[in-house]
């Protein structure tokens, strides 16, 4: 049956209204951000169909090139973005410029994290406001975006970010702690709130099982010392705790003190890496005549020794011992192992040149700043010449 002209007109009007309602937000966004038009990647002409799945948006590529974006890098990082029909590169550029970002910085951000151009202005404004609760100035945030654009653009869920900020604040973490988390381990804030809560509850249980009476303080200490802990699995952290207890034969009180102290820094290492480094350290120290108690003492006082690979650690120890330093001195001042083998060698040579006596004067000088070390060498050189 033929449709009456009046009915046909009503249907046409209804379809038009539906289409406009569905795509109205996009059209408003484009009008707000597409000046000039050539810097917006919406399709031109009357054909508004999306490009084929495997075809890049030529209009977008042209815009990115005009903005100074490294398109080759962007294609390697997130190729799917270059196939999108609607993006917001012009709006993003205007937004960041308003916050003090230069054209070069904006191009660098997009080159390294192309997905940034898919964020709407309202999303950007809301996220910026959340970050400003933690950072003092816009320029601080721009600096972080330049260094790590993923930290800001990785998640599109502002509500989840807000909930995580509130939760972490409720743990007693201060603005400085949140600042460090956002800049060092931003995935913490894109985790689901439930996932972060599970790790916190696990750490509280560990504290209680070891006889601790302040689980909240324990959690704050662990997170403050190990910013990556919330993006690791509970299984990994638990296995490392169990391995440390068994390998070092630690009592509950010893393990509790280690975990809420410097030992927290090694909890996020892979289980195999931690085990391998412990076994290598044990073998090396045994070959140098050390007892089990010496190994335990070293790890408790300087857990970061387990971060050092076997070959590097062996090289550092051999270098120190060859320079006239005893293993007992290293155990008393293990932070000398923080320095590279090259640095240790250079310092030992300078000290040998001025006749420095490690047995008489100790090895504290090796663990001093460059400025203090140079001043000491100069003073010793004058004394040697007199």
């Amino acid at each position: 049956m033929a449709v009456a002209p009046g009915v046909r007109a009503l249907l046409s009007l209804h379809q038009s209204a539906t289409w406009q309602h569905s795509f109205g937000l996009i059209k408003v966004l484009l009008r707000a951000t597409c000046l000039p038009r050539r810097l917006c990647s919406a399709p031109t002409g009357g054909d508004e169909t999306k490009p084929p799945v495997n075809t890049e948006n030529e209009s977008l590529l042209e815009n990115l090139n005009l903005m100074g974006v490294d398109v080759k890098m962007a294609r390697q990082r997130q190729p799917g973005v270059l196939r999108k029909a609607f993006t917001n590169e012009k709006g993003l550029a205007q937004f960041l410029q308003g916050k003090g970002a230069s054209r070069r910085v904006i191009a660098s951000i997009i080159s390294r994290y192309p997905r940034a151009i898919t964020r709407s202005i309202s999303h950007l404004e809301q996220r910026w406001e959340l970050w400003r609760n933690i950072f003092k100035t816009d320029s601080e945030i721009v600096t972080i975006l330049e260094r790590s654009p993923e930290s800001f653009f990785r998640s599109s869920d502002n509500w989840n970010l807000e909930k995580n900020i509130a939760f972490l604040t409720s743990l007693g973490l201060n603005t400085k702690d949140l600042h460090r988390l956002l800049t060092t381990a931003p995935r913490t804030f894109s985790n689901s709130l439930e996932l972060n809560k599970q790790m916190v509850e696990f750490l509280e249980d560990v504290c209680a099982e070891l006889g601790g009476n302040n689980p909240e303080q324990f959690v704050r200490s662990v997170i403050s010392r190990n910013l990556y802990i919330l993006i690791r699995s509970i299984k990994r952290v638990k296995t490392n705790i169990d391995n440390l207890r068994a390998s070092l034969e630690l009592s509950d009180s010893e393990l509790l003190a280690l975990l809420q102290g410097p030992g927290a820094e090694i909890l996020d290492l892979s289980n195999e890496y931690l085990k391998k480094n412990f076994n290598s350290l044990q073998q090396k120290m045994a070959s140098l005549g050390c007892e089990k108690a010496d190994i335990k003492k070293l790890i408790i006082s300087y857990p970061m020794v387990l971060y050092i690979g076997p070959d590097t650690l062996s090289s550092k120890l051999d270098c120190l011992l060859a320079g006239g330093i005893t293993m007992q001195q290293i155990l008393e001042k293990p932070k000398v192992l923080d320095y590279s083998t090259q640095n240790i060698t250079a310092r030992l040579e300078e000290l040998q040149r001025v006749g420095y006596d490690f047995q008489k004067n100790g090895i504290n000088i090796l663990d001093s700043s460059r400025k203090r070390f140079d001043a000491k060498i100069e003073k010793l050189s004058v004394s040697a010449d007199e």
Side-chain angles (χ1 to χ4, degrees):
M1 179 184 295
V3 179
V7 174
R8 186 183 300 113
L10 286 173
L11 287 173
S12 175
L13 180 60
H14 172 74
Q15 291 169 348
S16 174
T18 301
W19 190 92
Q20 289 176 20
H21 177 75
S22 300
F23 292 90
L25 178 60
I26 294 173
K27 296 177 75 176
V28 168
L29 178 61
L30 294 178
R31 281 200 300 272
T33 61
C34 291
L35 297 175
R37 184 178 179 86
R38 64 187 306 197
L39 281 182
C40 186
S41 63
T44 58
D47 182 8
E48 296 191 4
T49 58
K50 293 183 179 180
V53 175
N54 294 320
T55 302
E56 292 181 342
N57 185 333
E58 293 298 328
S59 175
L60 171 58
L61 296 180
E62 180 184 354
N63 296 343
L64 296 180
N65 279 315
L66 286 171
M67 295 170 70
V69 172
D70 185 335
V71 174
K72 183 179 180 181
M73 180 186 292
R75 185 179 290 116
Q76 291 173 338
R77 297 292 177 90
Q78 292 162 352
V81 174
L82 302 183
R83 296 193 291 269
K84 288 187 174 293
F86 295 99
T87 49
N88 189 30
E89 60 274 15
K90 176 61 176 178
L92 173 66
Q94 290 178 338
F95 178 83
L96 292 177
Q97 283 173 349
K99 302 300 182 182
S102 66
R103 184 177 184 275
R104 179 194 62 78
V105 168
I106 294 168
S108 174
I109 288 171
I110 298 173
S111 300
R112 289 176 293 136
Y113 203 79
R115 200 173 294 148
I117 66 175
T118 67
R119 305 303 186 218
S120 70
I121 296 299
S122 60
H123 168 87
L124 293 171
E125 289 174 342
Q126 186 180 19
R127 174 144 297 208
W128 200 274
E129 184 179 346
L130 289 170
W131 274 49
R132 275 303 303 269
N133 291 330
I134 298 171
F135 299 95
K136 294 180 180 178
T137 64
D138 288 343
S139 60
E140 275 189 279
I141 302 178
V142 170
T143 299
I144 292 167
L145 264 61
E146 182 180 8
R147 187 171 68 241
S148 175
E150 181 182 5
S151 63
F152 187 86
F153 295 104
R154 184 176 189 272
S155 169
S156 62
D157 191 341
N158 283 335
W159 174 230
N160 186 65
L161 170 62
E162 187 173 1
K163 288 189 294 183
N164 272 320
I165 290 175
F167 173 64
L168 294 170
T169 302
S170 74
L171 299 178
L173 294 173
N174 57 34
T175 302
K176 183 179 178 181
D177 293 323
L178 295 178
H179 184 296
R180 291 169 60 228
L181 278 168
L182 267 177
T183 54
T184 306
R187 278 180 52 203
T188 299
F189 296 88
S190 56
N191 275 353
S192 69
L193 177 63
E194 185 57 36
L195 196 61
N196 284 335
K197 282 185 174 180
Q198 287 173 10
M199 178 59 80
V200 167
E201 289 168 2
F202 165 74
L203 292 174
E204 289 175 341
D205 289 343
V206 168
C207 177
E209 288 171 10
L210 295 177
N213 55 16
N214 194 336
E216 294 80 9
Q217 178 59 47
F218 178 80
V219 170
R220 283 197 297 274
S221 297
V222 173
I223 295 176
S224 295
R225 288 177 175 273
N226 190 331
L227 299 175
Y228 299 99
I229 195 76
L230 291 169
I231 60 175
R232 303 304 184 208
S233 70
I234 290 176
K235 180 181 178 182
R236 171 187 286 201
V237 176
K238 183 179 186 306
T239 301
N240 282 339
I241 291 174
D242 291 342
N243 286 341
L244 285 171
R245 182 203 286 271
S247 300
L248 298 176
E249 300 177 358
L250 298 171
S251 65
D252 286 353
S253 59
E254 287 176 325
L255 182 57
L256 181 66
L258 177 64
L259 297 181
Q260 65 185 1
E265 298 178 61
I266 61 173
L267 289 180
D268 68 306
L269 289 174
S270 77
N271 302 147
E272 289 306 312
Y273 187 79
L274 187 65
K275 188 182 297 185
K276 181 187 73 173
N277 285 1
F278 176 82
N279 290 336
S280 297
L281 173 64
Q282 191 175 37
Q283 292 171 11
K284 179 65 178 179
M285 291 186 69
S287 72
L288 296 173
C290 295
E291 304 287 339
K292 266 190 173 183
D294 295 323
I295 300 170
K296 181 175 180 177
K297 177 182 178 180
L298 176 61
I299 293 175
I300 287 178
S301 62
Y302 182 62
M304 293 299 287
V305 71
L306 294 174
Y307 256 104
I308 307 173
D311 294 340
T312 301
L313 178 62
S314 182
S315 175
K316 289 181 180 183
L317 288 172
D318 290 344
C319 180
L320 289 165
L321 295 172
I325 294 169
T326 67
M327 195 64 211
Q328 189 58 40
Q329 286 177 308
I330 297 173
L331 289 172
E332 294 298 330
K333 194 70 177 178
K335 284 202 71 177
V336 295
L337 297 171
D338 268 348
Y339 298 89
S340 67
T341 304
Q342 183 179 6
N343 187 300
I344 292 171
T345 301
R347 290 195 170 194
L348 287 174
E349 289 174 352
E350 290 187 67
L351 290 167
Q352 188 176 38
R353 178 175 57 80
V354 297
Y356 189 85
D357 188 341
F358 288 112
Q359 304 313 310
K360 179 181 177 182
N361 302 311
I363 67 171
N364 284 348
I365 190 171
L366 287 174
D367 184 28
S368 60
S369 67
R370 182 77 246 181
K371 184 177 180 180
R372 291 183 62 188
F373 180 81
D374 289 343
K376 184 69 174 178
I377 290 294
E378 185 178 350
K379 183 178 179 180
L380 290 171
S381 296
V382 171
S383 299
D385 292 338
E386 292 177 350

